[in-house]
Amino acid sequence: MKMQFNDYLKYLRQDFSASIVVFLVALPLCLGVALASGAPLFAGVIAGMLGGIVVSWCSGSQLSVSGPAAGLTVIVFNAIETLGSFKAFLLSVMFAGIFQIILGFVRAGMIAAFFPTAVIKGMLAAIGMILIIKQTPHATGYDAGYAADESYMPETAGSSFIEFTHSLHGISPGATLVACVALLILIFWESAFIKQFNALRMIPGPLLAVIWGVAFNNWALAAAPEWSIGVKYLVSLPELGSTSNFVNQLRLPDFSYLGNPKIYSIALTLAIIASLETLLSVEAVDKLDPHKRVSPTNRELKAQGFGNLLSGLMGGLPITAVIVRSSANINAGGQTRVSSFFHGLLLLISVLFFAHFLNMIPLACLAAILLQTGYKLAKPAMFVEFYQKGLNQFVPFAITVFAILFTDLLEGIAIGMVCGIFFVLRANFHAAITLTQRGPNYLLRLHKDVSFLNKALLRNYLGSIADDSELIIDGGKALFIDHDILETLSDFLQAAPDRNIQVELQGFALESRLLEQDTVFIPRLAAAGH
């Protein structure tokens, strides 16, 4: 689907509406990731702005949203401690960007094509469940921090589940009411009743949810303090007030560390992990894209690399494509890259002029938006769909979900990939060779490629052929037959006369030296035209 300028204009209303949602979700996450990383809060905002304003146009993905990734928080925190300086770490971010650009030019993006659909859908379902688990404390007013809330449980799965259960016992009435009503607004705003009114459809449901939360809290502060939401449960954005203060927040990397080898080892680690998370996110976004567009992965690596190069130069955190914000973008009706671009602009404008007003937003409102996104990613219908597709699809899907829940994103994906590959090999193992019997007559057929992995199956089939029978071995459909397979057939041909088994070969070339010597045992071979 080629996007022209008129297409961007055509979807402008949907994209601007979606950008408001992405902005509201991204703002606290940028701050939370920076806090968890041990970096200045403003570094997360810079990365979010660059991800929207710059990377969105360099990328080939129309719906992917880029920004600071919670999955990198542990690496960033340890890197800053190792180098002893945030400015030195910025140098690593710069070189990580350069390494990613190189990966794009050597076409490393092709790795994305090897992620099975069941594993990618399992990742989406797992992230949806993680969002529900980790946003519930905010919805109930239990948790004060927003650090790493879209991460894939890098600490321990147990602590997140414990926090989830504790939040159900430590409910704050004001925050819970705000979250519940916000969820009802979001659900109602997607109903068929609202969709029949064009004027109402133009108003983003999440924006109404946020307005409700701010209005309720302001009323509660004045009329019912026991129902009000404390400051620590609100958005906390640094108030700059002017462009000069914004410029003063920018940090340049410390180039005196260029001779430190740790700079480059950290940069390489960042580049590899960020690239893998980006490729996974882009693959997932393509699965969710209503237009089913396919993103050019090599271009994506170059775009992320350029974004990280700028982020390192300006004092920002590492940037990756992030699935939570991308999912929120798609669920909010985003159609093109304009929604991601606008969200970056909104981050910039809000930091400059509207921080005071944004700091009135309860985190419970934003939790409601992410709870809805989490449900859409992990809805029960998806589990039913994969179960109906058979065990070959359901088992890798389910294992990926639980592996991510109890480890982290990359480990969970790796476990899911191993499981997926096992089922692919298992399916190929049985599909490569078939044996059909009708009375004393047998047909052994080789399909497509037959490798050494199928040798044990071939031996079992040959061993099951009864004495005093006739066997046709058809290799006409096999595009490739491994040496071990030919040798196994050759051994069988030599032993067949002792068991009074008449063998006929079809589809094999006599040029095969292994079989050519055994044609004496194939009386009907010449008659078959081989």
Side-chain angles (χ1 to χ4, degrees), residues 14 16-26 178-179 181-190 194 200-214 327-334 361-373 376:
Q14 295 100 309
F16 182 71
S17 175
S19 72
I20 296 174
V21 177
V22 179
F23 158 70
L24 292 171
V25 169
V178 165
V181 174
L183 265 176
L184 290 175
I185 291 172
L186 293 171
I187 294 169
F188 177 67
W189 219 251
E190 290 190 353
I194 293 295
L200 294 180
R201 286 171 55 191
M202 294 179 66
I203 304 171
L207 181 59
L208 289 179
V210 167
I211 292 172
W212 143 253
V214 172
S327 300
N329 182 28
I330 295 168
N331 289 333
I361 299 175
L363 293 178
C365 292
L366 307 180
I369 297 171
L370 289 173
L371 282 172
Q372 186 195 38
T373 300
K376 288 183 176 180

Side-chain angles (χ1 to χ4, degrees), residues 139-160:
T140 61
Y142 172 78
D143 183 32
Y146 221 81
D149 273 338
E150 61 174 342
S151 66
Y152 311 100
M153 299 189 180
E155 62 285 355
T156 62
S159 65
S160 294

Side-chain angles (χ1 to χ4, degrees), residues 129 133 153 155-167 405-406:
M129 295 172 72
I133 292 168
M153 299 189 180
E155 62 285 355
T156 62
S159 65
S160 294
F161 281 109
I162 289 170
E163 188 178 66
F164 172 75
T165 54
H166 284 181
S167 69
L405 282 176
F406 290 102

Side-chain angles (χ1 to χ4, degrees), residues 75 82 109 137 206 267 274 329 353 355 382 414 499 511:
I75 297 172
T82 300
N329 182 28
F353 306 111
M382 182 181 291
R499 298 172 57 191
E511 290 75 17

Side-chain angles (χ1 to χ4, degrees), residues 153-457:
M153 299 189 180
E155 62 285 355
T156 62
S159 65
S160 294
F161 281 109
I162 289 170
E163 188 178 66
F164 172 75
T165 54
H166 284 181
S167 69
L168 300 178
H169 295 93
I171 292 176
S172 169
T176 305
L177 178 62
V178 165
C180 290
V181 174
L183 265 176
L184 290 175
I185 291 172
L186 293 171
I187 294 169
F188 177 67
W189 219 251
E190 290 190 353
S191 66
F193 175 77
I194 293 295
K195 289 180 179 179
Q196 63 183 334
F197 301 103
N198 290 331
L200 294 180
R201 286 171 55 191
M202 294 179 66
I203 304 171
L207 181 59
L208 289 179
V210 167
I211 292 172
W212 143 253
V214 172
F216 172 84
N217 196 43
N218 286 336
W219 170 84
L221 286 170
E226 67 276 10
W227 285 84
S228 65
I229 300 172
V231 174
K232 65 180 181 179
Y233 299 103
L234 305 177
V235 169
S236 177
L237 185 65
E239 295 187 28
L240 300 179
S242 67
T243 53
S244 59
N245 288 340
F246 174 83
V247 173
N248 291 334
Q249 291 290 328
L250 302 180
R251 299 284 184 271
L252 286 174
D254 189 344
F255 291 98
S256 65
Y257 281 78
L258 279 172
N260 189 339
K262 291 180 181 178
I263 292 290
Y264 307 101
S265 62
I266 291 171
L268 186 60
T269 302
L270 287 173
I272 293 172
I273 302 300
S275 297
L276 284 173
E277 290 208 14
T278 291
L279 293 176
L280 285 166
S281 296
V282 167
E283 280 291 301
V285 168
D286 286 350
K287 299 294 181 191
L288 297 173
D289 185 357
H291 298 289
K292 300 304 176 187
R293 292 165 287 199
V294 178
S295 304
T297 52
N298 295 311
R299 178 176 169 181
E300 186 67 32
L301 289 179
K302 296 173 189 175
Q304 297 293 334
F306 183 59
N308 278 318
L309 180 61
L310 288 180
S311 190
L313 281 171
M314 295 177 65
L317 291 176
I319 297 171
T320 75
V322 278
I323 187 59
V324 172
R325 277 159 268 184
S326 301
S327 300
N329 182 28
I330 295 168
N331 289 333
Q335 301 291 323
T336 74
R337 67 181 83 241
V338 172
S339 60
S340 177
F341 172 72
F342 278 158
H343 117 273
L345 279 181
L346 289 172
L347 281 173
L348 175 61
I349 294 169
S350 66
V351 166
L352 288 176
F353 306 111
F354 301 111
H356 174 72
F357 300 101
L358 293 171
N359 287 341
M360 297 179 183
I361 299 175
L363 293 178
C365 292
L366 307 180
I369 297 171
L370 289 173
L371 282 172
Q372 186 195 38
T373 300
Y375 174 78
K376 288 183 176 180
L377 290 175
K379 59 178 61 175
M382 182 181 291
F383 289 82
V384 174
E385 175 191 344
F386 272 89
Y387 180 77
Q388 291 173 343
K389 288 181 177 180
L391 291 180
N392 284 356
Q393 291 293 309
F394 180 73
V395 173
F397 169 80
I399 287 179
T400 301
V401 170
F402 289 105
I404 292 175
L405 282 176
F406 290 102
T407 57
D408 60 26
L409 175 68
L410 295 180
E411 284 185 38
I413 286 290
I415 294 170
M417 287 286 291
V418 170
C419 179
I421 291 170
F422 168 78
F423 275 92
V424 168
L425 291 177
R426 180 173 174 269
N428 184 65
F429 180 77
H430 289 284
I433 305 175
T434 57
L435 178 66
T436 307
Q437 178 187 5
R438 181 172 293 175
N441 302 307
Y442 293 83
L443 171 62
L444 182 72
R445 180 166 284 157
L446 310 184
H447 303 272
K448 297 183 180 179
D449 295 343
V450 187
S451 71
F452 70 94
L453 297 173
N454 304 109
K455 185 164 69 170
L457 179 64

